[in-house]
Structures are given as C-alpha cells and as structure tokens.
Amino acid sequence: MTAPGDTGPEVRSMRNEFALERYRYLLQQIHAVNENAHRFLAIYQTLATGLVTAALALFVGYRKWGVNPSTARGGVIGLLSLTTVVAAFTSTLIVVGAIAWFDYRNEECDITDEMVEPGFRTRPRSRNFFRWYETYVLLFILVSLMVMWLLADFFLLPAIK
C-alpha cells in the first residue's frame, strides 16, 4: 500500500487509467447529449404535426360532424395549447442538454489540462451560442409555434362560425 501523496509508478499508472476511463465516459456523454437534441426535435416535429393535423381536421369537419362552433374553437385552441406544452417540454430538454454538454466539456478540458497540457482543449464559451445547432432547433420550435398560433388566430378561429 502506498502512502497518501505517493507518486510512485503504480499510483501514476492507476491515476492515468482512471483519467482515461473518465475521459471516455465524458466523450460518450457528450455524444449522447448531441444525439438527444436530434431525438427531441424529431419528437416535437412528430407530435406537433399530429396535433396540428387534428386541429385542421376539426376545423374542416366540425360542421359535418355536428360539432358546435364554440366547441370547435375550444378544440382548436386546446390542440394548439397541447402543441405549446410539447414545444415547452422539448425546449426545456434541449436547454438542459446544452447545459449538461457545457459541464461535460468543461470537465473534459479539466482532464486534458491535467493529463496532457494546460490549454490542450479550448473551453466552451457561452457567447458562441449562435454556433450551436441547439440554438437553431430552439428558434425553429419558437418560430413554428408562433406561426401556428398566428395562422389559427387570423384564419382558423375567425372562420369557425
């Protein structure tokens, strides 16, 4: 057994192995966070398409089905509200994933600073958010949600009489 602070070859070797395994784990987590953003976008697109399709079907068929116009308006608003909830949930998951990615990258930089040399990996900067694809996924979600509500407010809801 070695004494605390001992830097013998066995301790250095064990420390290097541990750092390498931690580094592999961090790279795996960064990869998983990147993949998750794509999954979350696919979930949003699928659910939003389904909910908006249901709202449009309600708009087109409410007379034929004998649905009261006020009920049809409420149904369209309800479906768009569900779409908004899905968008908020998806956006939250993407933001949390970006924060986790930021932490993993900083820890990766800590390991490479210690094991390779200081400055080997550049630390991520939050001011580079315009270069992150998550930024554009969030913008897509926000813009698509706004367009859905504006189209409903200006065209669908007034036409339900």
Side-chain angles (χ1 to χ4, degrees):
M1 193 82 191
T2 58
D6 188 2
T7 57
E10 299 91 17
V11 172
R12 279 194 303 265
S13 175
M14 187 173 18
R15 192 167 188 276
N16 288 345
E17 284 181 43
F18 179 77
L20 180 61
E21 285 303 313
R22 182 67 185 169
Y23 187 72
R24 286 180 182 148
Y25 170 77
L26 290 172
L27 292 179
Q28 178 186 20
Q29 292 303 106
I30 289 170
H31 179 71
V33 166
N34 289 337
E35 283 184 345
N36 285 342
H38 293 288
R39 285 189 191 117
F40 299 148
L41 176 60
I43 289 169
Y44 167 73
Q45 287 175 312
T46 303
L47 290 173
T49 300
L51 290 168
V52 170
T53 300
L56 289 173
L58 180 59
F59 169 72
V60 169
Y62 79 96
R63 284 188 191 111
K64 180 179 170 185
W65 300 331
V67 175
N68 187 326
S70 63
T71 304
R73 273 193 295 280
V76 169
I77 290 170
L79 288 165
L80 288 178
S81 296
L82 282 173
T83 305
T84 303
V85 169
V86 168
F89 180 70
T90 304
S91 298
T92 301
L93 291 176
I94 290 171
V95 167
V96 168
I99 292 169
W101 176 88
F102 207 86
D103 287 343
Y104 289 135
R105 275 282 286 119
N106 275 317
E107 189 173 347
E108 176 191 0
C109 290
D110 291 341
I111 290 173
T112 57
D113 282 352
E114 187 174 330
M115 301 309 290
V116 181
E117 66 181 48
F120 179 77
R121 286 282 282 163
T122 310
R123 292 193 178 273
R125 293 184 216 128
S126 58
R127 69 174 182 242
N128 288 339
F129 73 94
F130 64 91
R131 292 177 18 194
W132 301 346
Y133 64 87
E134 291 90 350
T135 302
Y136 299 100
V137 169
L138 290 173
L139 281 173
F140 168 76
I141 290 171
L142 180 65
V143 168
S144 66
L145 196 61
M146 287 174 34
V147 166
M148 286 180 232
W149 276 104
L150 288 171
L151 289 173
D153 283 345
F154 289 115
F155 297 108
L156 295 183
L157 296 176
I160 299 176
K161 297 178 184 179

